[in-house]
Amino acid sequence: MGPVSAEWFRDAVIYEIYPQSYADSDGDGIGDLRGVIDRLDHIASLGVDAVWFNPCFASPFLDAGYDVADYLSVAPRYGTNDDLVELVDKARARGIRILLDLVVGHTSTQHPWFRAELAAAGPSPDGDRYIWRTDDPGGGWGIDLPGIPAWVPSPGPRPGWYLKNFYDAQPALNFGWIDPDPAHPWRDGADAPGPRRNRAALREILDFWLGRGIAGFRVDMAFSLVKDEGFTAGRAASVEIWREIRAWMDSAYPHAVLIPEGEEPRTGGAFAFDADFALVIHEAHASLFDNHGAGILPWHTPREPFFDAAGAGSTDIFLRMWNGLRDADPARPIVMATADHDFSRLRCGARSPEQLGAAFTLLFTWGVVPSLYYGDEIGMRYLSGMPNVEGAICNPAYNRAGCRTPMQWDDGPNAGFSAADSADLYLPIDPDPARPTVAGQDGIPGSTLTLVRDLLALRRATPALQGHAPTRVVHEGYPFAWTRGETHLVVVNPRAEPARLDAPAARGASLVWGTGCVPDAVGVALDGFGYGILETGGRG
């Protein structure tokens, strides 16, 4: 089950941009593609290799663009298809590729496909693109949110119910079922006409954007296409669809990548995707970046957080996750993120900026494909109490808007994000007068932005810190320590108390980069929140 990854991707660093909140060029209070084009020099200065955009297709934005109304058109509020092509070209000139977010498990109810089926009296002679039934589901099966049924009554004229994935306005696309039960004629087999139409459309969508220079896609709900109660069989069958896509891409677009939301199921066959995406829908995300119960992840807060200033943490959750993925395939690329559009930022709860250095050192040197969420490069905060904009509150206990606030560029009006009136902004700016900004940290020694730039520059210049070299843990406790290849040792101390590492790899090692890290003849001493990258001379 060897990896299918394009070589450029294995050593890449990703920068995720939530387009609504990055940079507003036309003063309407919402970020747009022209704003990103205007900020490409900043993006390039970080040392990243690819930008991943959350969905920028036409949408009614009931779920922040994850409800697509037209896969082949950029949403007008962001610009035009030509603007996206211009962005691709200007980013490429700076050595940066563009990745798009692809939502193929469902569409918006405003998509012409759904509107056509809703207006029909019954099933399409060409095969339904969505999943309809006329018998009362009585609650039925599906992906439930609290208090929201999975089957949605049709508003007509078509009778019956349709299956949705999340919100009622997100009808599930029909990729078939594992068990097409004759007693339930709405359960098409995977090779029925409706599922075949959707598989063909999926390839057309990919071809349209790859042909315009897009370098690949992060795929939302990638393994929920084929339906099956309990998911296990459906996930495996969904992989088969992606294997068909992969075979075509390997021929037509061999350098393009596919990244799934989460971990690709291990089915015994070839991988369809170029990596696993860890720490987003996994409890280990919080084990790395929660602050001893003070984070904003109510269903992902572990008993033993990793980065815990109070000193009660553990690396066990993270290492169990990592070893599980590595046992399945030691060479498989893994994307690991500081945060993303659905989860709290790296700086959340009571975590202070001085704690970020150890976390960034882990992320950028562990041997993964790091994903840096916009604003994390300056230490933007997760903000509680944000309004419920575009479906941000998908769970009563969690508001995603707190990690989607506007990028903080400078100390001008609206932190330089937009010239609009503050009341018209997509989301409010961080109200803290001391909020971090790009302008306030640019070129400043010791700033979070300088740390990120310097660390990524060191990664780029040091092959042992990139994706190809092996990672070997030499100390599982605090400080956490690992070697990269045969030449480098990395040590991080996420706690406020000083720590010390005495290990063969640390003896006589010389410091290359770090803060609060002092090597000596027998080991390494670290201050609270200290971190360091050391050359070992091949010891370890």
Side-chain angles (χ1 to χ4, degrees), residues 3 100 111 135 206 237 292 295 322 350 370 402:
L100 298 183
H111 196 291
D135 58 314
L206 294 169
H292 196 43
W322 178 261

Side-chain angles (χ1 to χ4, degrees), residues 227-279:
K227 305 306 178 188
D228 174 67
E229 290 86 343
F231 283 104
T232 302
R235 284 168 58 84
S238 296
V239 171
E240 291 300 321
I241 293 175
W242 291 111
R243 286 192 181 123
E244 293 178 10
I245 293 294
R246 167 57 61 187
W248 164 73
M249 284 178 59
D250 284 347
S251 174
Y253 301 100
H255 300 294
V257 297
L258 288 175
I259 307 166
E261 179 183 17
E263 176 186 342
E264 180 169 349
R266 272 51 175 173
T267 64
F271 282 117
F273 287 79
D274 293 276
D276 293 312
F277 202 125
L279 309 182

Side-chain angles (χ1 to χ4, degrees), residues 113 128-130 173-175 194-202:
W113 296 343
D128 280 338
R129 292 188 180 273
Y130 300 88
L173 283 166
N174 180 16
F175 287 93
R196 288 203 306 269
R197 292 176 74 194
N198 283 335
R199 291 205 303 272
L202 174 56

Side-chain angles (χ1 to χ4, degrees), residues 76 85 134 143 165 174 207 209 230 250 257 267 289 363 452 498 526:
V85 171
T134 54
I143 303 171
N165 271 344
N174 180 16
D207 188 48
W209 291 112
D250 284 347
V257 297
T267 64
F289 302 128
L363 180 74
V452 168
L526 290 103

